[in-house]
Amino acid sequence: MDLAYIPSPSESVWHLGPIPIRAYALCLIAGIVVACWIAEARLRSRGAPKWAVLDLAVWAVPFGIVGARIYHVVTSPDAYFGPDGDPWKALAVWEGGLGIPGAILLGAVGMWLGCRQLGLPFAMVADACIPGIPVAQAIGRLGNWFNQELYGKPLDAWWAVSIDIDHRVAGYLEYATFHPTFLYEALWNLGVAAVLLLADRRWKFGAGRAVALFAALYWTGRFWIEGLRIDPAEGWGGLRLNQWVSIVVVVLAVAYLLTVRGTRKVFVLDGGDRVVVPWNSDQAKAAGYVDGALPKGAEPGDIESAANEAEAEAETDAEPDRPEDDVIAEPTAEEPPADAGKTRDDS
């Protein structure tokens, strides 16, 4: 094996009897699971109900996959509706081809519907869940490696990826190694996730500002990565469609960050119901939040309830017990003396 470049996997599909197991699908599923795990931990630290993320995922994941596929088909129509295209291939999600903008857009719609069903504030949930999205994207990009797709221009370097001739883009058949743009994006996404986590810990984002920061960071990286890719795509003015999308999204995201103010919200219990309060409010502190988050495994109000119980016990212990000696006995009649009733002899 020539270690002067990154080799591509020789297989992307394995068969379990008649059932095909596709690496691309496994990467997508792994990304979704990790994103849900991160979202669950962050939502729980803000006092959300246990496993609320699973109810949200039921809405967000199908919407996101449908949106991603629609975006890919619309922006790469020749492969499906061109002279040599196959319209039925538009449904073949397992063969690759998901557009991130469509996934985020329709996935957000699905999450909004899920929040309405659960009675959760959408902006609060979105800010809590967003760091898991770039991590999921990073894992999903490994599926492009297995499919030998979404690579960039020819490259002669040790980090270049080798592409089999059957998977090379027309016009580049004589080249063997290319920019691994899927790897660039995966690494960039992990960096975006790290920045989001650190920034949110520092500034306690609210009102969708963490989502805006994600959009600004991700699409900044996507602009230059997209410029390296050679797979067919719509474009104008020397830029690919996704580069134009990057410019628009980054401008809107930065404008949002500069104009919208908002701080993290958390849940506290009020009469058994969860209500939303600022992370640094007295209610949040009384409910047990420390620096805007609950201790691991705690529920909002656990510490407050424990404090109330301890206070009640202290008041009970402070009351002095009534000793039996202090009981005042009822007066009883005394027995008459032995000589009672007799006449006294004075002689």
Side-chain angles (χ1 to χ4, degrees), residues 299-316:
E299 288 286 333
D302 282 352
I303 296 178
E304 184 180 20
S305 299
N308 291 339
E309 290 177 6
E311 184 179 349
E313 274 186 28
E315 291 177 355
T316 302

Side-chain angles (χ1 to χ4, degrees), residues 207-231:
R209 301 185 78 235
V211 177
L213 180 60
F214 159 76
L217 293 174
Y218 170 72
W219 285 103
T220 297
R222 183 63 183 266
F223 181 88
W224 68 266
I225 294 171
E226 193 73 21
L228 294 173
R229 283 170 49 172
I230 57 175
D231 52 299

